[in-house]
């Protein structure tokens, strides 16, 4: 039940724009302040030892009655404070007669740390709101009530996880298995590297075959085996599919995604990106663990009129390798067009103008069938 609720609550980031768009139809005006929202705790301290315990319950009163021809649909949302619900949890539609919603310590941790990117162990302010959407013969604006709580998250203990098997660079020697990159303590792990034809799995302890994390009923599902008697099987890299791979593994969701990569890193170089024209000083673009063809970096783009005020993206720390560049000379950062050249001809570059100076999030899709780039200025 908790997993289903988590799927509803924190699986994606949506807002309710349709509730707040002005309507051309005239709506009757009412004093409507009956809807209130309160929390069972104003200050919440999460406990790592009891993730499944209820940490907070939000409760609301009914919306102000309008008339017999009108009814209300209640929607609940929650977001990190000050974000105007732009990264809120998926709206939770509350059924008839429901006037509260509860979150466990694990739910809040997942939202605050994993979804909203706050630092584990620190205090975060969380905004919550209940929206009473009106259905009836005339348009009526929704009635909205909000509240805030203070939440101190915990810091989960670090728990190493190791990659082993004939497909890995370390082979089947359990004493030299490869340690995964732990990006969320005890929960989420990643690794990028070469995998050969063969099999692999994950172990908790160096030198010990079990406990292990192995293939479940599909290539994206995990099973935890404490002994050889329990069901499970190894993951496989088939012959002819050797190459560089990206692995993302979640113990909490019992899921794994293994994707072949074209590149492990890309490098933004050029005086327009503040690196001069040195391949060794290139700003590193890293792949998305779940979509390894998508690379991102935050880069300060500047134009001072003293140089080219330009940049390009290398696939290796060498100007002689394949390079991502605009499709025209002095390409604009307002365009999503991008191409990959195997040589330095034509040596097209993106050009930065003085009115475009600033910090940008650059996202590059390297899939040849969907090649594109986006530059989003950071406010």
């Amino acid at each position: 039940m908790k997993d289903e609720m988590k799927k509803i609550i924190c699986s994606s980031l949506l807002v309710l724009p349709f509730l707040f768009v002005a309507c051309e139809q005239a709506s009757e005006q009412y004093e409507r302040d009956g809807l209130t929202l309160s929390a069972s705790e104003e200050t919440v301290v999460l406990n790592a030892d009891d993730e499944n315990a209820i940490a907070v319950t939000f409760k609301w009163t009914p919306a102000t009655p309008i008339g017999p021809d009108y009814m209300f649909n209640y929607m609940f949302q929650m977001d990190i404070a000050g974000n105007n619900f732009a990264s809120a949890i998926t709206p939770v539609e509350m059924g008839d007669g429901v006037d509260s919603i509860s979150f466990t310590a694990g739910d809040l941790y997942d939202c605050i740390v994993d979804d909203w990117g706050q630092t584990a162990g620190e205090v975060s302010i969380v905004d919550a709101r209940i929206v009473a959407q009106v259905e009836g013969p005339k348009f009526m604006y929704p009635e909205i009530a909000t509240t805030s709580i203070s939440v101190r998250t915990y810091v989960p203990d670090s728990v190493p996880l190791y990659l082993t098997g004939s497909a890995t660079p370390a082979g089947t020697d359990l004493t030299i298995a490869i340690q995964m990159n732990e990006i969320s303590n005890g929960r989420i792990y990643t690794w990028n590297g070469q995998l050969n034809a063969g099999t692999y799995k994950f172990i908790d302890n160096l030198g010990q075959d079990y406990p292990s994390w192995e293939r479940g009923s599909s290539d994206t599902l995990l099973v935890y085996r404490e002994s050889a008697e329990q069901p499970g099987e190894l993951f496989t890299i088939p012959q002819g599919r050797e190459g560089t791979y990206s692995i993302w593994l979640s113990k909490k969701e019992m899921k794994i995604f293994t994707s072949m990569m074209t590149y492990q890193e890309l490098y933004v170089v050029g005086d327009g990106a503040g690196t001069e024209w040195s391949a060794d000083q290139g700003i590193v673009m890293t792949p998305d663990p779940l979509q390894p063809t998508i690379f991102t970096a935050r880069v300060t783009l500047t134009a001072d009129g003293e140089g080219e005020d330009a940049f390009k993206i290398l696939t290796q720390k060498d100007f002689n390798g394949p390079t991502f560049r605009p499709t025209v000379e002095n390409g604009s950062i307002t365009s999503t067009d991008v191409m990959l050249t195997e040589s330095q001809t034509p040596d097209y570059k993106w050009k930065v103008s003085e009115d475009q100076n600033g910090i940008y999030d650059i996202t590059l899709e390297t899939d040849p069938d969907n090649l594109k780039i986006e530059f989003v200025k950071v406010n």
Side-chain angles (χ1 to χ4, degrees):
M1 182 67 180
K2 178 174 181 279
D3 289 342
E4 289 301 315
M5 176 62 77
K6 169 63 180 169
K7 188 182 299 181
I8 294 172
I9 292 174
C10 291
S11 62
S12 62
L13 304 177
L14 297 174
V15 292
L16 288 173
F18 59 88
L19 293 181
F20 307 105
V21 176
C23 181
E24 293 181 358
Q25 303 177 28
S27 61
E28 298 182 37
Q29 299 300 312
Y30 290 84
E31 284 292 331
R32 297 166 58 200
D33 55 6
L35 184 65
T36 63
L37 177 65
S38 61
S40 59
E41 306 287 341
E42 293 183 359
T43 301
V44 180
V45 179
L46 304 184
N47 187 349
D49 297 326
D50 204 356
E51 287 190 336
N52 296 323
I54 297 296
V56 65
T57 297
F58 294 97
K59 189 175 179 64
W60 51 92
T61 58
T64 305
I66 297 176
D69 295 331
Y70 294 87
M71 60 181 296
F72 299 103
N73 291 324
Y74 292 90
M75 299 277 190
F76 179 87
Q77 279 188 297
M78 188 169 63
D79 196 1
I80 201 70
N83 205 28
N84 199 28
F85 295 90
S87 60
I89 63 175
T90 303
V92 184
E93 184 170 359
M94 313 310 299
D96 291 340
V98 178
D99 63 359
S100 66
I101 185 171
S102 298
F103 295 87
T104 66
D107 290 335
L108 288 178
Y109 179 95
D110 291 346
C111 289
I112 294 170
V113 178
D114 293 344
D115 294 342
W116 300 329
Q118 304 302 297
T119 302
E122 296 187 355
V123 174
S124 298
I125 305 302
V126 174
D127 290 339
R129 72 179 174 191
I130 189 71
V131 179
Q133 183 183 5
V134 185
E135 290 187 2
K138 292 184 179 180
F139 171 82
M140 301 292 293
Y141 286 102
E143 190 172 353
I144 304 169
T146 62
T147 192
S148 299
I149 60 173
S150 169
V151 183
R152 180 180 291 279
T153 55
Y154 48 80
V155 179
D157 292 334
S158 175
V159 182
L161 184 68
Y162 303 91
L163 171 65
T164 186
S166 61
T168 74
T172 56
D173 186 343
L174 297 175
T175 64
I176 58 170
I178 302 168
Q179 186 165 351
M180 300 279 287
N181 178 34
E182 188 176 11
I183 63 173
S184 178
N185 284 2
R187 294 165 170 252
I188 300 175
Y189 302 80
T190 62
W191 179 81
N192 296 339
Q194 177 71 25
L195 288 178
N196 303 312
T199 58
Y200 63 96
K201 68 173 186 176
F202 307 89
I203 56 175
D204 284 346
N205 304 296
L206 282 175
Q208 298 181 21
D209 217 5
Y210 299 96
S212 66
W213 303 78
E214 302 182 17
R215 185 184 186 277
S217 58
S218 75
D219 285 335
T220 62
L221 296 179
L222 289 170
V223 293
Y224 185 62
R225 300 180 72 189
E226 297 184 82
S227 69
E229 286 70 38
Q230 293 177 298
E233 59 181 292
L234 302 179
F235 293 97
T236 301
I237 300 295
Q239 288 285 348
R241 294 292 293 171
E242 304 89 346
T244 302
Y245 280 83
S246 170
I247 297 177
W248 180 93
L249 182 150
S250 171
K251 287 182 179 179
K252 183 174 180 62
E253 297 182 24
M254 295 299 286
K255 290 183 178 180
I256 181 173
F257 296 95
T258 305
S259 307
M260 183 174 281
M261 303 174 65
T262 305
Y263 315 101
Q264 291 196 53
E265 290 180 341
L266 300 176
Y267 310 94
V268 183
V269 296
D271 59 351
T275 69
E276 301 305 323
W277 291 102
S278 170
D280 289 335
Q281 295 181 27
I283 298 170
V284 176
M285 299 188 73
T286 55
D288 185 309
L290 296 182
Q291 296 175 286
T293 62
I294 297 177
F295 288 73
T296 59
R298 179 163 288 186
V299 180
T300 299
L301 300 181
T302 57
D304 57 17
E306 296 182 0
E308 292 186 86
D309 296 332
F311 64 93
K312 54 189 174 182
I313 301 174
L314 307 180
T315 60
Q316 58 194 50
K317 291 185 177 181
D318 186 338
F319 284 105
N320 295 319
T323 303
F324 288 98
R325 56 180 82 247
T327 56
V328 296
E329 188 175 5
N330 295 326
S332 171
I333 63 173
T334 63
S335 172
T336 61
D337 293 337
V338 61
M339 67 179 179
L340 177 66
T341 62
E342 294 298 326
S343 68
Q344 292 304 299
T345 304
D347 193 16
Y348 294 162
K349 309 175 185 72
W350 282 280
K351 180 80 170 180
V352 185
S353 60
E354 291 187 12
D355 63 336
Q356 294 172 326
N357 287 351
I359 301 172
Y360 288 80
D361 284 332
I362 302 178
T363 302
L364 173 61
E365 169 61 85
T366 63
D367 182 350
D369 295 327
N370 193 30
L371 198 59
K372 64 180 179 181
I373 192 168
E374 290 184 315
F375 302 88
V376 177
K377 195 168 189 178
V378 179
N379 293 325

